[in-house]
């Protein structure tokens, strides 16, 4: 994997892993940053707005460019996130296993999906749609603050990763540029 691909993947990887002993879905949901601060009563109410979907192997969950409408949590199976490049090439950015989540930015904005999600095995997902979560937040504003703080924690962590990866890539590019300039200078001074 090239440095660039490694750094792209680090942004997408699920760095909020659930505790390995949590098999109960409500516990998994409660361990996720957006919902970790919810008291049990509100977590149970949140469970009422969770929808469930099943996908076959290689079935598309959403396409790059689709509207972002919700957060997906893997209950069973696995999902890969793929970027479709301009030259008809695809790049796998990340993969998700049970207890991990993706699509969280859709809870904040209704922007287009930046990549495609594909089930890599028979997969069961839990989905929290933005419209349902917005209604939940309107009904319980104090808990909504907890949810939004959790989402901001995810964004802040990703921004730190993005800054680190940008700096690493900048340093790699600068070093490569310097080596190329040195090679050109050596060629210019060589008269044979």
């Amino acid at each position: 994997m090239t440095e660039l691909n490694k750094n792209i993947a680090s942004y997408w990887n699920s760095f909020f892993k659930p505790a390995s002993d949590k098999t109960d879905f409500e516990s998994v949901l409660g361990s996720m940053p957006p919902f970790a601060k919810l008291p049990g009563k509100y977590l149970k109410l949140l469970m009422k707005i969770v929808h469930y979907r099943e996908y076959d192997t290689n079935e598309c969950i959403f396409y790059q460019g689709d509207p972002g409408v919700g957060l997906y949590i893997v209950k069973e199976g696995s999902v890969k996130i793929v970027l479709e490049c301009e030259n008809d090439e695809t790049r796998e950015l990340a993969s998700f296993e049970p207890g991990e989540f993706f699509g969280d930015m859709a809870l904040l904005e209704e922007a287009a999906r930046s990549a495609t999600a594909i089930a890599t095995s028979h997969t069961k997902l839990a989905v929290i749609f933005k419209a349902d979560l917005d209604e939940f937040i309107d009904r319980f504003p104090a808990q909504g603050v907890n949810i939004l703080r959790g989402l901001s924690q995810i964004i802040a962590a990703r921004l730190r990763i993005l800054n680190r990866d940008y700096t690493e890539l900048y340093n790699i590019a600068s070093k490569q540029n310097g080596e190329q300039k040195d090679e050109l200078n050596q060629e210019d001074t060589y008269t044979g």
Side-chain angles (χ1 to χ4, degrees), residues 22-43:
K22 292 189 177 185
T23 55
D24 170 44
F25 182 68
E26 187 174 330
S27 296
V28 170
L29 189 64
S31 72
M32 295 171 55
F35 314 114
K37 302 270 185 184
L38 290 180
K41 168 187 170 183
Y42 294 100
L43 194 57

Side-chain angles (χ1 to χ4, degrees), residues 38-184:
L38 290 180
K41 168 187 170 183
Y42 294 100
L43 194 57
K44 288 188 184 319
L45 289 170
L46 184 69
M47 289 290 294
K48 293 181 179 184
I49 65 169
V50 175
H51 300 267
Y52 299 93
R53 303 285 187 266
E54 286 191 39
Y55 297 88
D56 291 325
T57 303
N58 295 321
E59 187 174 353
C60 189
I61 298 159
F62 56 75
Y63 290 98
Q64 185 173 325
D66 283 355
V69 295
L71 164 78
Y72 294 82
I73 306 151
V74 181
K75 290 188 70 181
E76 293 178 24
S78 57
V79 173
K80 69 179 176 180
I81 304 297
V82 176
L83 180 67
E84 298 168 12
C85 302
E86 291 177 12
N87 57 359
D88 292 330
E89 171 183 319
T90 60
R91 283 204 176 110
E92 185 173 333
L93 301 177
S95 60
F96 297 96
E97 302 294 326
E100 297 179 320
F101 61 94
F102 59 96
D104 44 281
M105 292 299 291
L107 296 180
L108 294 174
E109 62 178 357
E110 295 175 5
R113 295 288 187 186
S114 60
T116 297
I118 301 169
T120 54
S121 64
H122 182 80
T123 300
K124 294 181 181 180
L125 300 177
V127 186
I128 299 175
F129 292 109
K130 181 181 181 342
D132 294 334
L133 186 64
D134 286 347
E135 187 177 312
F136 180 90
I137 289 171
D138 288 344
R139 285 182 57 207
F140 309 107
Q143 302 314 314
V145 169
N146 288 331
I147 292 168
L148 294 174
R149 282 184 180 146
L151 287 169
S152 67
Q153 178 186 1
I154 294 169
I155 293 166
R158 286 199 174 137
L159 185 56
R160 279 191 297 276
I161 289 169
L162 192 61
N163 286 339
R164 181 202 68 209
D165 291 350
Y166 172 80
T167 301
E168 287 176 14
L169 288 172
Y170 180 82
N171 291 338
I172 289 167
S174 293
K175 182 180 176 185
Q176 288 174 347
N177 246 355
E179 290 170 359
Q180 289 173 351
K181 284 181 183 178
D182 287 345
E183 288 174 13
L184 287 174

